[in-house]
Amino acid sequence: MAEAKWEGKASVEIAGLAVEQVWPCLEDYCNLHKWFPYLDKCDQVEGVPGKPGLVRHVSSTAKASPESDEMITRWANEKLLMIDANQKCFSYEVTDNNIGFNNYVATIKVFPINADDQQKGCIVEWSFVTDPVPGWKFENLLSNFNYCLQYMGKKMEQTFLSTMEP
């Protein structure tokens, strides 16, 4: 019997930035390496920027294990399925990878913390569904996604704050 799909959601509250500041960072689908921890490269493989069908190749190089000097490259090709600038969201799927993702689809959404005051911060939400990933526990995958989002939120805040200082 097949194991049930893994479904999860992670989010980060970015109190210092409005939706209109954060969305362009995420909407630029092939610039994930600017915000995402561990990621060395994010390159367009095919398609038209900002349009469904765009495929990006993401990769990172790291030690195979803490005890090893052997370096390995982890990579994935990710296809943009849907993007909605009005709703500030997009969905993508992993089409090929060496990480162990099968039938992985994710949605990223950006929305205001307070619908009445859209200038007082935003929330970035990353939801996903995937087949179980060999060698991982669901809790570890979800913890990794949470870490990545927290990192991205802090990096975006730091980037915007540094450009606003005199």
Side-chain angles (χ1 to χ4, degrees):
M1 182 170 116
E3 197 175 341
K5 293 236 182 236
W6 288 355
E7 291 187 55
K9 186 183 295 186
S11 64
V12 62
E13 189 172 298
I14 308 174
L17 300 178
V19 170
E20 286 70 28
Q21 292 171 295
V22 171
W23 173 246
C25 301
L26 299 170
E27 177 184 38
D28 191 350
Y29 191 68
C30 293
N31 278 329
L32 185 62
H33 62 293
K34 291 181 178 179
W35 312 111
F36 201 81
Y38 322 122
L39 207 55
D40 300 326
K41 295 175 83 176
C42 180
D43 298 312
Q44 179 178 335
V45 175
E46 63 184 61
V48 177
K51 302 290 184 197
L54 176 64
V55 176
R56 67 183 176 196
H57 177 82
V58 296
S59 64
S60 64
T61 303
K63 284 186 172 186
S65 71
E67 308 81 34
S68 170
D69 287 333
E70 178 190 359
M71 301 298 283
I72 59 168
T73 300
R74 292 181 176 91
W75 61 269
N77 288 340
E78 301 174 341
K79 182 178 183 179
L80 186 63
L81 300 174
M82 173 280 295
I83 188 164
D84 186 332
N86 293 326
Q87 295 295 314
K88 310 290 189 269
C89 67
F90 67 86
S91 294
Y92 68 95
E93 69 177 338
V94 173
T95 57
D96 196 12
N97 71 102
N98 70 348
I99 303 163
F101 287 116
N102 287 306
N103 299 308
Y104 174 95
V105 176
T107 299
I108 307 290
K109 296 178 184 179
V110 184
F111 51 91
I113 291 172
N114 181 342
D116 295 333
D117 188 352
Q118 303 216 357
Q119 297 305 307
K120 296 279 191 206
C122 67
I123 295 170
V124 178
E125 182 181 274
W126 180 2
S127 58
F128 67 91
V129 61
T130 185
D131 289 346
V133 181
W136 284 74
K137 293 181 181 170
F138 173 77
E139 298 77 21
N140 295 26
L141 183 65
L142 190 56
S143 175
N144 187 54
F145 285 179
N146 271 307
Y147 169 79
C148 292
L149 263 183
Q150 299 303 316
Y151 178 96
M152 289 171 68
K154 283 186 179 81
K155 190 160 186 183
M156 287 177 191
E157 266 188 322
Q158 289 169 350
T159 299
F160 277 95
L161 292 176
S162 70
T163 61
M164 293 165 56
E165 293 173 358

